[in-house]
Short mmCIF file of all heavy atoms in Angstrom, two decimals:
data_model
loop_
_atom_site.label_atom_id
_atom_site.label_comp_id
_atom_site.label_asym_id
_atom_site.label_seq_id
_atom_site.Cartn_x
_atom_site.Cartn_y
_atom_site.Cartn_z
N ALA L 1 7.67 -3.29 -6.76
CA ALA L 1 7.57 -3.37 -8.21
C ALA L 1 6.66 -2.26 -8.75
O ALA L 1 6.96 -1.64 -9.78
CB ALA L 1 7.03 -4.74 -8.62
N PHE L 2 5.56 -2.00 -8.06
CA PHE L 2 4.63 -0.95 -8.47
C PHE L 2 5.31 0.42 -8.44
O PHE L 2 5.19 1.21 -9.38
CB PHE L 2 3.40 -0.97 -7.57
CG PHE L 2 2.32 -0.02 -7.98
CD1 PHE L 2 1.30 -0.42 -8.81
CD2 PHE L 2 2.31 1.31 -7.50
CE1 PHE L 2 0.28 0.47 -9.19
CE2 PHE L 2 1.32 2.19 -7.87
CZ PHE L 2 0.29 1.77 -8.71
N LYS L 3 6.03 0.69 -7.36
CA LYS L 3 6.72 1.98 -7.25
C LYS L 3 7.78 2.11 -8.33
O LYS L 3 7.94 3.19 -8.93
CB LYS L 3 7.35 2.11 -5.86
CG LYS L 3 6.32 2.26 -4.75
CD LYS L 3 6.97 2.66 -3.42
CE LYS L 3 7.88 1.58 -2.89
NZ LYS L 3 8.45 1.94 -1.56
N GLY L 4 8.51 1.04 -8.60
CA GLY L 4 9.54 1.09 -9.63
C GLY L 4 8.97 1.32 -11.01
O GLY L 4 9.54 2.04 -11.84
N LYS L 5 7.81 0.73 -11.27
CA LYS L 5 7.19 0.83 -12.58
C LYS L 5 6.64 2.22 -12.87
O LYS L 5 6.73 2.72 -14.00
CB LYS L 5 6.07 -0.20 -12.70
CG LYS L 5 5.34 -0.21 -14.03
CD LYS L 5 4.28 -1.31 -14.07
CE LYS L 5 3.55 -1.34 -15.40
NZ LYS L 5 2.52 -2.43 -15.45
N TYR L 6 6.08 2.89 -11.85
CA TYR L 6 5.36 4.15 -12.09
C TYR L 6 6.03 5.38 -11.49
O TYR L 6 5.49 6.48 -11.60
CB TYR L 6 3.93 4.03 -11.55
CG TYR L 6 3.08 3.04 -12.30
CD1 TYR L 6 2.68 1.84 -11.71
CD2 TYR L 6 2.68 3.30 -13.61
CE1 TYR L 6 1.89 0.93 -12.41
CE2 TYR L 6 1.89 2.40 -14.31
CZ TYR L 6 1.50 1.22 -13.70
OH TYR L 6 0.72 0.31 -14.40
N ARG L 7 7.20 5.21 -10.87
CA ARG L 7 7.82 6.35 -10.19
C ARG L 7 8.09 7.52 -11.14
O ARG L 7 7.81 8.68 -10.82
CB ARG L 7 9.12 5.91 -9.50
CG ARG L 7 9.83 7.06 -8.78
CD ARG L 7 10.99 6.58 -7.94
NE ARG L 7 10.54 6.00 -6.68
CZ ARG L 7 10.63 4.72 -6.37
NH1 ARG L 7 11.15 3.86 -7.25
NH2 ARG L 7 10.19 4.28 -5.20
N GLU L 8 8.64 7.26 -12.30
CA GLU L 8 8.96 8.34 -13.24
C GLU L 8 7.73 8.79 -14.01
O GLU L 8 7.59 9.97 -14.33
CB GLU L 8 10.05 7.88 -14.21
CG GLU L 8 11.41 7.67 -13.56
CD GLU L 8 12.50 7.37 -14.58
OE1 GLU L 8 12.21 7.46 -15.79
OE2 GLU L 8 13.63 7.07 -14.16
N ARG L 9 6.84 7.87 -14.29
CA ARG L 9 5.66 8.19 -15.10
C ARG L 9 4.63 8.98 -14.31
O ARG L 9 4.04 9.93 -14.82
CB ARG L 9 5.05 6.89 -15.62
CG ARG L 9 4.00 7.08 -16.69
CD ARG L 9 3.59 5.72 -17.23
NE ARG L 9 2.60 5.82 -18.27
CZ ARG L 9 2.04 4.76 -18.85
NH1 ARG L 9 2.42 3.53 -18.50
NH2 ARG L 9 1.12 4.92 -19.78
N TYR L 10 4.39 8.56 -13.07
CA TYR L 10 3.39 9.23 -12.23
C TYR L 10 3.98 9.53 -10.86
O TYR L 10 3.64 8.90 -9.87
CB TYR L 10 2.14 8.35 -12.08
CG TYR L 10 1.48 7.98 -13.39
CD1 TYR L 10 1.28 6.64 -13.74
CD2 TYR L 10 1.06 8.96 -14.28
CE1 TYR L 10 0.67 6.31 -14.94
CE2 TYR L 10 0.46 8.63 -15.48
CZ TYR L 10 0.28 7.29 -15.80
OH TYR L 10 -0.31 6.96 -16.99
N PRO L 11 4.89 10.50 -10.77
CA PRO L 11 5.58 10.78 -9.51
C PRO L 11 4.64 11.20 -8.38
O PRO L 11 4.86 10.85 -7.22
CB PRO L 11 6.57 11.90 -9.87
CG PRO L 11 6.02 12.50 -11.13
CD PRO L 11 5.36 11.39 -11.86
N GLU L 12 3.59 11.96 -8.70
CA GLU L 12 2.66 12.40 -7.65
C GLU L 12 1.88 11.23 -7.07
O GLU L 12 1.62 11.18 -5.87
CB GLU L 12 1.69 13.45 -8.22
CG GLU L 12 2.30 14.82 -8.44
CD GLU L 12 2.87 15.39 -7.14
OE1 GLU L 12 2.18 15.31 -6.10
OE2 GLU L 12 4.00 15.90 -7.17
N ALA L 13 1.53 10.28 -7.93
CA ALA L 13 0.81 9.10 -7.45
C ALA L 13 1.70 8.28 -6.52
O ALA L 13 1.25 7.80 -5.46
CB ALA L 13 0.35 8.24 -8.63
N ILE L 14 2.96 8.13 -6.88
CA ILE L 14 3.89 7.36 -6.05
C ILE L 14 4.19 8.10 -4.75
O ILE L 14 4.31 7.49 -3.68
CB ILE L 14 5.18 7.06 -6.83
CG1 ILE L 14 4.86 6.20 -8.06
CG2 ILE L 14 6.19 6.34 -5.94
CD1 ILE L 14 4.12 4.91 -7.75
N HIS L 15 4.27 9.44 -4.83
CA HIS L 15 4.46 10.22 -3.61
C HIS L 15 3.30 10.00 -2.65
O HIS L 15 3.50 9.82 -1.44
CB HIS L 15 4.58 11.71 -3.96
CG HIS L 15 4.68 12.61 -2.77
ND1 HIS L 15 5.81 12.70 -1.99
CD2 HIS L 15 3.75 13.45 -2.21
CE1 HIS L 15 5.60 13.55 -1.01
NE2 HIS L 15 4.36 14.01 -1.11
N SER L 16 2.08 10.00 -3.18
CA SER L 16 0.90 9.75 -2.36
C SER L 16 0.93 8.35 -1.76
O SER L 16 0.60 8.15 -0.58
CB SER L 16 -0.37 9.94 -3.18
OG SER L 16 -1.52 9.63 -2.44
N LEU L 17 1.35 7.38 -2.56
CA LEU L 17 1.42 6.00 -2.09
C LEU L 17 2.41 5.85 -0.95
O LEU L 17 2.18 5.10 0.01
CB LEU L 17 1.79 5.07 -3.25
CG LEU L 17 1.95 3.58 -2.93
CD1 LEU L 17 0.63 3.00 -2.43
CD2 LEU L 17 2.44 2.82 -4.16
N CYS L 18 3.53 6.57 -1.06
CA CYS L 18 4.60 6.41 -0.06
C CYS L 18 4.31 7.14 1.24
O CYS L 18 4.95 6.86 2.26
CB CYS L 18 5.92 6.92 -0.64
SG CYS L 18 6.57 5.87 -1.98
N GLU L 19 3.36 8.08 1.24
CA GLU L 19 2.97 8.74 2.47
C GLU L 19 2.31 7.72 3.40
O GLU L 19 1.36 7.05 3.02
CB GLU L 19 2.00 9.89 2.19
CG GLU L 19 2.65 11.09 1.51
CD GLU L 19 1.65 12.19 1.24
OE1 GLU L 19 0.46 11.89 1.01
OE2 GLU L 19 2.06 13.36 1.22
N ASP L 20 2.80 7.60 4.59
CA ASP L 20 2.27 6.64 5.56
C ASP L 20 2.48 5.19 5.10
O ASP L 20 1.74 4.28 5.49
CB ASP L 20 0.78 6.89 5.79
CG ASP L 20 0.37 6.70 7.24
OD1 ASP L 20 1.26 6.58 8.09
OD2 ASP L 20 -0.84 6.66 7.53
N GLU L 21 3.51 4.97 4.28
CA GLU L 21 3.75 3.64 3.70
C GLU L 21 3.96 2.57 4.78
O GLU L 21 3.55 1.42 4.60
CB GLU L 21 4.97 3.70 2.79
CG GLU L 21 5.31 2.38 2.12
CD GLU L 21 6.53 2.46 1.22
OE1 GLU L 21 6.99 3.60 0.94
OE2 GLU L 21 7.04 1.41 0.81
N GLY L 22 4.56 2.95 5.87
CA GLY L 22 4.86 1.97 6.92
C GLY L 22 3.63 1.38 7.59
O GLY L 22 3.74 0.39 8.33
N HIS L 23 2.45 1.96 7.30
CA HIS L 23 1.22 1.48 7.94
C HIS L 23 0.22 0.91 6.92
O HIS L 23 -0.93 0.68 7.26
CB HIS L 23 0.57 2.60 8.73
CG HIS L 23 1.44 3.15 9.81
ND1 HIS L 23 1.60 2.53 11.04
CD2 HIS L 23 2.24 4.26 9.85
CE1 HIS L 23 2.44 3.24 11.78
NE2 HIS L 23 2.84 4.28 11.08
N LEU L 24 0.67 0.67 5.70
CA LEU L 24 -0.23 0.15 4.67
C LEU L 24 -0.50 -1.34 4.84
O LEU L 24 -1.60 -1.82 4.52
CB LEU L 24 0.36 0.39 3.27
CG LEU L 24 0.50 1.83 2.79
CD1 LEU L 24 1.11 1.86 1.39
CD2 LEU L 24 -0.86 2.53 2.79
N LEU L 25 0.48 -2.08 5.32
CA LEU L 25 0.38 -3.54 5.34
C LEU L 25 0.35 -4.12 6.75
O LEU L 25 0.61 -5.31 6.94
CB LEU L 25 1.55 -4.14 4.55
CG LEU L 25 1.71 -3.63 3.10
CD1 LEU L 25 2.96 -4.23 2.46
CD2 LEU L 25 0.48 -3.95 2.27
N THR L 26 -0.02 -3.30 7.72
CA THR L 26 -0.08 -3.78 9.11
C THR L 26 -1.05 -4.94 9.26
O THR L 26 -0.85 -5.83 10.09
CB THR L 26 -0.50 -2.63 10.04
OG1 THR L 26 0.35 -1.50 9.81
CG2 THR L 26 -0.40 -3.04 11.50
N PHE L 27 -2.11 -4.94 8.46
CA PHE L 27 -3.15 -5.98 8.61
C PHE L 27 -2.60 -7.39 8.44
O PHE L 27 -3.17 -8.36 8.96
CB PHE L 27 -4.30 -5.73 7.63
CG PHE L 27 -3.97 -5.97 6.18
CD1 PHE L 27 -4.21 -7.21 5.60
CD2 PHE L 27 -3.45 -4.96 5.39
CE1 PHE L 27 -3.92 -7.45 4.26
CE2 PHE L 27 -3.16 -5.17 4.04
CZ PHE L 27 -3.39 -6.42 3.48
N TYR L 28 -1.47 -7.53 7.71
CA TYR L 28 -0.88 -8.86 7.52
C TYR L 28 -0.37 -9.47 8.83
O TYR L 28 -0.14 -10.67 8.91
CB TYR L 28 0.26 -8.80 6.51
CG TYR L 28 -0.19 -8.83 5.06
CD1 TYR L 28 -0.12 -7.68 4.28
CD2 TYR L 28 -0.66 -10.00 4.48
CE1 TYR L 28 -0.52 -7.70 2.95
CE2 TYR L 28 -1.07 -10.04 3.16
CZ TYR L 28 -1.00 -8.88 2.39
OH TYR L 28 -1.40 -8.90 1.08
N ASP L 29 -0.18 -8.64 9.85
CA ASP L 29 0.32 -9.13 11.13
C ASP L 29 -0.80 -9.75 11.98
O ASP L 29 -0.54 -10.20 13.09
CB ASP L 29 0.98 -7.99 11.91
CG ASP L 29 2.17 -7.40 11.17
OD1 ASP L 29 2.81 -8.14 10.39
OD2 ASP L 29 2.46 -6.20 11.36
N PHE L 30 -2.02 -9.76 11.45
CA PHE L 30 -3.17 -10.30 12.15
C PHE L 30 -3.71 -11.52 11.40
O PHE L 30 -3.39 -11.71 10.22
CB PHE L 30 -4.24 -9.22 12.30
CG PHE L 30 -3.85 -8.11 13.23
CD1 PHE L 30 -2.99 -7.09 12.79
CD2 PHE L 30 -4.28 -8.09 14.54
CE1 PHE L 30 -2.61 -6.07 13.64
CE2 PHE L 30 -3.90 -7.07 15.40
CZ PHE L 30 -3.06 -6.06 14.96
N PRO L 31 -4.52 -12.34 12.05
CA PRO L 31 -5.06 -13.54 11.38
C PRO L 31 -5.79 -13.21 10.09
O PRO L 31 -6.46 -12.17 9.98
CB PRO L 31 -6.04 -14.11 12.44
CG PRO L 31 -5.50 -13.61 13.73
CD PRO L 31 -4.93 -12.26 13.46
N GLN L 32 -5.65 -14.09 9.10
CA GLN L 32 -6.22 -13.84 7.79
C GLN L 32 -7.73 -13.63 7.84
O GLN L 32 -8.29 -12.87 7.05
CB GLN L 32 -5.89 -14.99 6.83
CG GLN L 32 -6.28 -14.71 5.39
CD GLN L 32 -5.72 -15.75 4.43
OE1 GLN L 32 -5.21 -16.77 4.87
NE2 GLN L 32 -5.83 -15.49 3.14
N ALA L 33 -8.40 -14.29 8.77
CA ALA L 33 -9.86 -14.15 8.88
C ALA L 33 -10.26 -12.71 9.20
O ALA L 33 -11.40 -12.31 8.94
CB ALA L 33 -10.39 -15.09 9.96
N MET L 34 -9.33 -11.93 9.75
CA MET L 34 -9.63 -10.55 10.11
C MET L 34 -9.34 -9.57 8.98
O MET L 34 -9.79 -8.41 9.02
CB MET L 34 -8.80 -10.13 11.34
CG MET L 34 -9.14 -10.87 12.61
SD MET L 34 -8.05 -10.36 13.99
CE MET L 34 -8.48 -8.61 14.14
N HIS L 35 -8.60 -9.98 7.95
CA HIS L 35 -8.08 -9.04 6.97
C HIS L 35 -9.15 -8.18 6.31
O HIS L 35 -8.96 -6.96 6.13
CB HIS L 35 -7.27 -9.79 5.90
CG HIS L 35 -5.96 -10.31 6.41
ND1 HIS L 35 -5.03 -10.94 5.60
CD2 HIS L 35 -5.41 -10.28 7.65
CE1 HIS L 35 -3.99 -11.29 6.33
NE2 HIS L 35 -4.19 -10.90 7.58
N GLN L 36 -10.26 -8.78 5.90
CA GLN L 36 -11.27 -8.01 5.20
C GLN L 36 -11.90 -6.93 6.09
O GLN L 36 -12.47 -5.96 5.60
CB GLN L 36 -12.36 -8.93 4.66
CG GLN L 36 -13.14 -9.67 5.74
CD GLN L 36 -14.27 -10.49 5.17
OE1 GLN L 36 -14.93 -10.08 4.21
NE2 GLN L 36 -14.49 -11.67 5.73
N HIS L 37 -11.78 -7.09 7.40
CA HIS L 37 -12.37 -6.13 8.34
C HIS L 37 -11.40 -5.05 8.79
O HIS L 37 -11.83 -4.05 9.38
CB HIS L 37 -12.88 -6.87 9.58
CG HIS L 37 -13.84 -7.99 9.28
ND1 HIS L 37 -15.11 -7.77 8.79
CD2 HIS L 37 -13.70 -9.34 9.38
CE1 HIS L 37 -15.71 -8.93 8.62
NE2 HIS L 37 -14.88 -9.90 8.97
N ILE L 38 -10.11 -5.24 8.54
CA ILE L 38 -9.12 -4.32 9.12
C ILE L 38 -8.24 -3.67 8.06
O ILE L 38 -7.19 -3.14 8.38
CB ILE L 38 -8.24 -5.03 10.17
CG1 ILE L 38 -7.46 -6.19 9.54
CG2 ILE L 38 -9.09 -5.54 11.32
CD1 ILE L 38 -6.45 -6.83 10.50
N ARG L 39 -8.68 -3.69 6.81
CA ARG L 39 -7.91 -3.02 5.76
C ARG L 39 -8.45 -1.63 5.44
O ARG L 39 -7.85 -0.90 4.64
CB ARG L 39 -7.89 -3.87 4.49
CG ARG L 39 -7.16 -5.19 4.66
CD ARG L 39 -6.86 -5.85 3.35
NE ARG L 39 -8.05 -6.15 2.58
CZ ARG L 39 -8.06 -6.83 1.43
NH1 ARG L 39 -6.91 -7.27 0.93
NH2 ARG L 39 -9.17 -7.08 0.79
N SER L 40 -9.58 -1.28 6.03
CA SER L 40 -10.18 0.02 5.73
C SER L 40 -10.99 0.49 6.92
O SER L 40 -11.21 -0.25 7.88
CB SER L 40 -11.09 -0.07 4.50
OG SER L 40 -12.29 -0.77 4.83
#
């Protein structure tokens, strides 16, 4: 939804977001108690 909303308005921002997109949400594959420690 975020990409759809801003793709035309801010193409460079969306391009940056999509770089390495496949590794943005890997932390969800681990227990929730770990999330705050493994998102950055």
Side-chain angles (χ1 to χ4, degrees):
F2 185 92
K3 291 191 295 183
K5 180 177 180 179
Y6 293 111
R7 179 171 282 112
E8 292 187 7
R9 191 173 181 183
Y10 302 123
E12 286 301 315
I14 298 305
H15 176 73
S16 176
L17 178 62
C18 291
E19 289 179 330
D20 218 11
E21 181 180 348
H23 300 280
L24 294 180
L25 305 176
T26 308
F27 70 92
Y28 278 108
D29 299 332
F30 292 80
Q32 188 170 10
M34 294 177 63
H35 288 184
Q36 63 176 323
H37 305 292
I38 61 174
R39 295 194 300 186
S40 73

